[in-house]
Amino acid sequence: VLALPAMNATLDAFSVTIADESGAAVALDNLLAGDVWVCSGQSNMEFSVAEMFGADELMAEAGREPGLRLFAVEKNASAQPRDDIAEAQYEAGWVEASPATVCGAAHGRSRASFCEPHCGASATVASFKRDTWGYFSAACYVHGLQLLRETKRPQGLLESCWGGTGRVHGHQPRL
């Protein structure tokens, strides 16, 4: 277990290098110190930025205000508890908010019009399927953007949602 001292929130990116006793090191770059929010739920949390009113404008502005970082867990079912996620939406794990990371990295375009509702790999409509999810939770993104603007503190948004799941009790402790 690695313990780091508390840091003041900062929008200035920094790097950290962590080495074990053998000298093997891992460098983490472009880090921010701030708040992290877990955005979890079902269909209301899964509702994407691309599907909301004003999506085109929001997409065009994504990333203009530095300090918003995104991480999204892919949907993977398991009958047994897991110690780690199976895979993340973004190959790099945590990413900076941008038009591509908020809605449609597979397309490389900066407008929401190409990002059809439910355009991810989990889509049930074959014509909407893409190589990547291609969207981020609207509730999570708008919440984080508002907090960033109000607090001037970096906001990390961790999305883990699955609409339509009927087994909510599986997420709750047994009494």
Side-chain angles (χ1 to χ4, degrees):
V1 174
L2 176 66
L4 299 174
M7 298 181 65
N8 292 327
T10 179
L11 289 165
D12 297 324
F14 60 92
S15 298
V16 172
T17 301
I18 303 168
D20 64 15
E21 294 172 356
S22 72
V26 173
L28 304 172
D29 298 314
N30 197 21
L31 302 176
L32 299 177
D35 304 324
V36 176
W37 295 91
V38 176
C39 305
S40 185
Q42 294 186 336
S43 57
N44 288 345
M45 188 58 69
E46 189 177 45
F47 184 81
S48 73
V49 171
E51 296 173 287
M52 63 185 283
F53 291 116
D56 285 334
E57 181 181 337
L58 194 61
M59 292 310 311
E61 296 176 2
R64 287 192 184 157
E65 298 177 60
L68 203 55
R69 303 295 168 90
L70 315 174
F71 184 95
V73 178
E74 284 278 13
K75 295 177 179 178
N76 286 286
S78 175
Q80 301 299 319
R82 297 185 60 99
D83 292 330
D84 202 351
I85 64 169
E87 61 183 319
Q89 173 177 329
Y90 308 110
E91 188 175 323
W94 285 95
V95 296
E96 295 180 55
S98 71
T101 59
V102 174
C103 188
H107 301 281
R109 294 172 52 188
S110 62
R111 300 290 296 173
S113 57
F114 70 88
C115 200
E116 299 292 335
H118 308 292
C119 64
S122 60
T124 56
V125 179
S127 63
F128 288 174
K129 289 187 179 183
R130 303 292 187 265
D131 294 337
T132 63
W133 273 8
Y135 68 84
F136 197 77
S137 164
C140 189
Y141 183 78
V142 171
H143 171 74
L145 186 59
Q146 181 179 352
L147 286 170
L148 173 66
R149 289 173 176 167
E150 290 178 6
T151 67
K152 308 293 186 230
R153 296 169 55 93
Q155 302 296 318
L157 307 176
L158 192 159
E159 175 196 321
S160 176
C161 53
W162 196 325
T165 54
R167 300 196 63 198
V168 175
H169 68 272
H171 305 287
Q172 299 173 342
R174 296 173 197 249
L175 300 177

